[in-house]
Amino acid sequence: TSTSTSTSLFKKWDPVDTLQKVFDDIHSNNVTAPSSRFITRMIPLQATCFVSKEEIQHVSRQLFAPYVAMEEKEKESADDTVTSFAVSLKRRNCGHFKSQEVISMVAAEAPKVWKVDLGKPDYTVIVEICRTLCGISIVKNSPERFGNFNIMELREKVTDNNSEDGDK
């Protein structure tokens, strides 16, 4: 019992929340926010695995589990809104699988009531593969909130917008 009490004291770290705070600081033009000229892009990865069909499916299933449970609760409330999603895949130095194979594997683990929407999805499943490692994340409103996760680009936009507002 002592281990269950001590582990419940610690909140699980979520890279998506951290990235949201960084982007919020940049949007608010917070001058006290830490910045770095060495960090160009931050991609949140909630889980990692080796590049194999079984592991990618297992990790995807684990990441989708809370959303499946959430859909079950919403089904009971008779809410007719349909959640949409898209899978964003980036492969580097990897010839193990074709892109469509990986996208199909990940999409198959999504809640069955979710619909694919490549234009403006509610959730984006980010899959990053580099050689033999795979990172996966599920991000809400990814294109609207984070664009392409490029911090330097966002900082320049905010700076340009602020200088334009000052010129008026």
Side-chain angles (χ1 to χ4, degrees):
T1 48
S2 63
T3 53
S4 64
T5 325
S6 63
T7 56
S8 65
L9 297 175
F10 298 105
K11 185 180 180 214
K12 186 177 177 186
W13 177 71
D14 187 8
V16 176
D17 291 341
T18 303
L19 192 63
Q20 181 62 50
K21 288 175 185 163
V22 169
F23 274 64
D24 287 346
D25 281 344
I26 293 170
H27 276 292
S28 67
N29 206 14
N30 184 349
V31 292
T32 61
S35 64
S36 173
R37 64 181 182 194
F38 303 108
I39 299 175
T40 309
R41 184 169 289 176
M42 290 178 70
I43 301 169
L45 298 176
Q46 294 172 312
T48 58
C49 64
F50 288 107
V51 179
S52 77
K53 183 178 181 177
E54 295 79 20
E55 290 206 32
I56 292 172
Q57 287 173 327
H58 176 72
V59 168
S60 299
R61 195 172 305 119
Q62 284 183 323
L63 284 175
F64 275 119
Y67 299 99
V68 171
M70 182 176 67
E71 288 296 329
E72 290 297 322
K73 286 181 183 177
E74 288 180 7
K75 195 186 298 182
E76 294 169 5
S77 69
D79 187 10
D80 289 339
T81 59
V82 177
T83 304
S84 62
F85 78 104
V87 178
S88 169
L89 172 68
K90 299 270 191 301
R91 288 186 322 146
R92 294 171 193 84
N93 303 322
C94 176
H96 300 307
F97 293 106
K98 293 183 177 161
S99 296
Q100 195 55 48
E101 281 181 277
V102 177
I103 291 170
S104 296
M105 279 190 276
V106 172
E109 301 302 329
K112 301 303 176 211
V113 294
W114 283 17
K115 301 295 178 209
V116 174
D117 180 359
L118 302 178
K120 192 174 178 185
D122 297 322
Y123 291 93
T124 302
V125 183
I126 300 164
V127 182
E128 296 275 336
I129 297 177
C130 186
R131 291 193 181 198
T132 60
L133 294 177
C134 177
I136 304 174
S137 227
I138 301 174
V139 181
K140 187 171 183 153
N141 301 328
S142 172
E144 294 171 13
R145 287 169 64 193
F146 303 117
N148 62 356
F149 303 104
N150 192 323
I151 293 173
M152 297 300 279
E153 189 177 285
L154 177 63
R155 192 174 295 279
E156 288 173 7
K157 278 183 190 175
V158 168
T159 305
D160 290 346
N161 288 344
N162 288 340
S163 66
E164 287 175 10
D165 291 343
D167 292 343
K168 290 181 181 178

